[in-house]
Amino acid sequence: MAVVASETPFHVLAVDDSLPDRKLIERLLKTSSFQVTTVDSGSKALQFLGIHDDDASTVSVHAHQLDVAVNLIITDYCMPGMTGYDLLKKIKESSSLRDIPVVIMSSENIPSRINRCLEEGADEFFLKPVQLSDMSKLKPHILKSRCREHYEQEQQHQQSDSNSNDCSSPTNMSSSSDSSRKRKAEDNEEILPQKNRPRHS
Amino acid sequence: MDYSNLRRQAASMKKSLFDQGYLDEQFCQVEDLQDEASPNFAEEVVTLFFKDSAKLISNVEQALEKYPKDFNRWDAYMQQLKGSCSSIGASRMKSECMSFRDYCGQGNVEGCMRSFQKVKREHGALRQKLEAYFQLLRQAGQLVLLELPPGPGCKN
């Protein structure tokens, strides 16, 4: 049975201009076993992620980015200068960052705001003050995006290498490539959780 | 034991802060995040809150002076303060912030000025009370370090 091997905790980048809120979100995340980096503005977030405002649309993967992989970004909505929404847009415009799940936080419950963020590609919206129970909603988004990434890599692998597969008893091409994909997913300890835990509220 | 007396005093102080509406459930959430690794977490957050809120209050004050009747601006500044209050469970202060924003919505300058004074008053009162509360806790904590661990039957 494959076991979830998460020796390296997932890394979350938290963005909030309010110092007490930053301290709170950092603690919530650390208590939930995430590795955390906090910044106080959208532009610092982009800097950390290795892109600059002007070349957000170009494929710019800086070398250091590989060492500081970010698995999820959680950002306040209301910030001076670049809002959380502006930051979300920049992330989605960047080919190197668009697959990182983004969560928006806000102390204001404004449906049009929430919808706008979700439409722009935010994965989740948290009403502040954020609770410990909200933290359990984060990991599924991280795993989902990694599954998607893994699947896309698999597709490319399949195309370049269509005859080889890991199955011991292939029947026909399509089913054997399916099970080969499944087997690869099961063997890859990082991608799929062994148990599907129900979300607690 | 002296320290358990202090602990009891701190607990009863906290209870009255809740009963009088100064604090709400969110404050408990903040305290619950404390553990052995971060034993002073609540006090640290509260300290940051007062530092931050003092700045935000002064922003509102300046805006009231420099930008007469600029309700949108006044509201935006107060929104930040209100958000901060709700993060630590500063319930009465948050209510006054909301009152202020209501007056902004009504375009009521007098109402804004009055409720801003109340915001400042609540801020001062809460700061005093929480300082006393954490002071008690600290004293109790310090005594625990100095004394032998309690024997069986002692309540903490």
Side-chain angles (χ1 to χ4, degrees), chain A residues 113-162:
Chain A
R113 172 185 293 186
I114 299 174
N115 286 328
R116 199 159 67 114
C117 290
L118 296 175
E119 275 164 22
E120 193 60 41
D123 291 79
E124 186 87 57
F125 188 98
F126 288 162
L127 204 54
K128 278 176 156 188
V130 179
Q131 304 294 299
L132 197 53
S133 52
D134 290 323
M135 297 292 99
S136 61
K137 300 174 189 168
L138 299 178
K139 196 160 146 194
H141 291 301
I142 297 176
L143 295 174
K144 196 170 59 185
S145 86
R146 290 175 76 151
C147 265
R148 207 182 308 132
E149 205 185 307
H150 180 82
Y151 177 75
E152 282 164 10
Q153 284 170 13
E154 268 289 299
Q155 287 293 84
Q156 289 169 8
H157 185 79
Q158 292 287 330
Q159 278 165 15
S160 58
D161 181 338
S162 53

Side-chain angles (χ1 to χ4, degrees), chain B residues 9-10 19 21 51 53 82 85 98 105-106 131 139-140 143 152:
Chain B
Q9 277 181 53
D19 291 343
K51 202 161 138 188
S53 54
K82 181 203 152 221
C85 290
M98 284 164 71
Q106 297 162 23
E131 267 172 9
Q139 283 173 348
L143 282 180

Side-chain angles (χ1 to χ4, degrees), chain B residues 7 14 22 44 49 55-56 67 117 122 137 154:
Chain B
R7 290 288 292 268
K14 183 163 87 166
Y22 283 100
E44 287 162 11
F49 165 75
K55 238 185 290 168
L56 295 175
Y67 304 99
Q117 293 308 314
E122 289 300 335
L137 280 182
C154 279

Side-chain angles (χ1 to χ4, degrees), chain B:
Chain B
M1 302 222 114
D2 231 28
Y3 87 92
S4 73
N5 218 355
L6 287 172
R7 290 288 292 268
R8 236 178 292 125
Q9 277 181 53
S12 112
M13 194 182 276
K14 183 163 87 166
K15 182 175 186 298
S16 84
L17 288 174
F18 275 85
D19 291 343
Q20 292 168 40
Y22 283 100
L23 296 175
D24 64 33
E25 170 62 25
Q26 177 59 18
F27 186 78
C28 298
Q29 301 291 331
V30 175
E31 279 196 319
D32 284 348
L33 289 172
Q34 264 175 191
D35 63 12
E36 278 130 23
S38 298
N40 302 313
F41 177 74
E43 187 177 1
E44 287 162 11
V45 178
V46 167
T47 304
L48 290 175
F49 165 75
F50 281 111
K51 202 161 138 188
D52 191 57
S53 54
K55 238 185 290 168
L56 295 175
I57 284 176
S58 125
N59 287 346
V60 176
E61 193 136 44
Q62 282 176 36
L64 291 174
E65 260 179 80
K66 274 200 245 171
Y67 304 99
K69 293 202 180 173
D70 192 342
F71 296 107
N72 284 336
R73 186 187 294 264
W74 297 358
D75 181 81
Y77 280 127
M78 190 51 81
Q79 184 188 317
Q80 286 187 292
L81 183 58
K82 181 203 152 221
S84 233
C85 290
S86 77
S87 291
I88 67 146
S91 177
R92 273 165 73 144
M93 213 180 132
K94 182 170 89 169
S95 294
E96 292 305 337
C97 292
M98 284 164 71
S99 258
F100 181 93
R101 295 186 73 196
D102 285 342
Y103 285 121
C104 283
Q106 297 162 23
N108 182 341
V109 175
E110 253 309 299
C112 284
M113 296 302 178
R114 265 195 330 261
S115 79
F116 180 61
Q117 293 308 314
K118 289 195 183 151
V119 169
K120 284 200 286 189
R121 234 181 0 248
E122 289 300 335
H123 184 247
L126 183 64
R127 197 212 296 258
Q128 232 178 12
K129 290 175 189 292
L130 284 178
E131 267 172 9
Y133 170 69
F134 284 117
Q135 166 92 314
L136 258 181
L137 280 182
R138 231 178 296 132
Q139 283 173 348
Q142 279 164 3
L143 282 180
V144 171
L145 291 175
L146 295 173
E147 292 179 356
L148 293 170
C154 279
K155 287 205 202 130
N156 277 334

Side-chain angles (χ1 to χ4, degrees), chain A residues 1 26 39 108 131 133 135 145 176-177 180 197 200:
Chain A
M1 280 223 274
E26 179 188 52
V39 292
E108 307 277 291
Q131 304 294 299
S133 52
M135 297 292 99
S145 86
S176 63
S177 59
S180 125
R197 289 177 192 271
H200 357 279

